[in-house]
């Protein structure tokens, strides 16, 4: 069990809420997001900044399945990053929805939260995969998702997360064979830009 104790305040913090920060001497320190933001606000001289804590929200997808989103806010100098993500035990990166928005740290963080929740709702309303007899297929002619590492140490291969579900690279390839002979277009989009 990894020790997720914040070295600044001593709080034992869930793994999704710790930040590993490099010091000048090259050593890494674990900080909780609140302490990270306090230090960053001090360095960026944003004295009015207050670390926002948002309680999880539950939102239903197009099939009526409810997803619980947790939030993390991190101050990166002149930008405040707000992330919404699902907690999937043992598989934090490779499954579950995840969204991000960047905003002005001097503006009301609840406004940024409102915008992020709207973005999550827009994404949940669209399904890119359909299940036919236990097999997943591409629903239309456009797929959106997230690229993650498949977790296999024998090489750097991706898996993709579509509709919040992990799809292995070979399974994704098999899905695309329904379109054999078609052309395709890949556009890579920064997480904070995705509409
Ligand atoms: Zn702390």
């Amino acid at each position: 069990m990894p020790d997720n104790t914040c070295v600044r305040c001593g709080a034992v913090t869930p793994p999704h809420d710790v930040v590993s920060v490099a010091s000048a001497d090259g050593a890494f320190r674990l900080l909780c997001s609140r302490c990270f933001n306090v230090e960053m606000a001090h360095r960026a001289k944003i004295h009015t900044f207050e670390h926002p804590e948002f309680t999880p929200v539950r939102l239903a997808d197009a099939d009526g399945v409810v997803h619980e989103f947790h939030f993390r806010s991190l101050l990166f100098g002149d930008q405040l990053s707000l992330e919404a993500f699902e907690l999937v035990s043992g598989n934090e990166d490779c499954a579950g929805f995840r969204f991000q928005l960047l905003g002005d740290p001097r503006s009301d963080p609840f406004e940024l939260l409102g915008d992020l929740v709207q973005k999550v709702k827009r994404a949940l309303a669209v399904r890119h995969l359909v299940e036919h007899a236990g097999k997943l297929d591409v629903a239309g002619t456009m797929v959106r998702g997230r690229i993650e590492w498949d977790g296999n140490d024998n090489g750097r291969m991706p898996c993709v997360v579509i509709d919040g579900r992990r799809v292995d690279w070979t399974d994704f390839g098999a899905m695309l064979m329904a379109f054999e002979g078609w052309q395709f277009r890949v556009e890579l989009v920064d997480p904070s830009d995705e509409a």
Side-chain angles (χ1 to χ4, degrees), residues 5-13 17-18 30-36 38:
T5 305
C6 172
V7 296
R8 195 169 175 273
C9 71
V12 179
T13 311
D17 204 37
V18 289
L30 277 186
L31 293 177
C32 68
S33 60
R34 172 184 291 277
C35 289
F36 176 85
V38 167

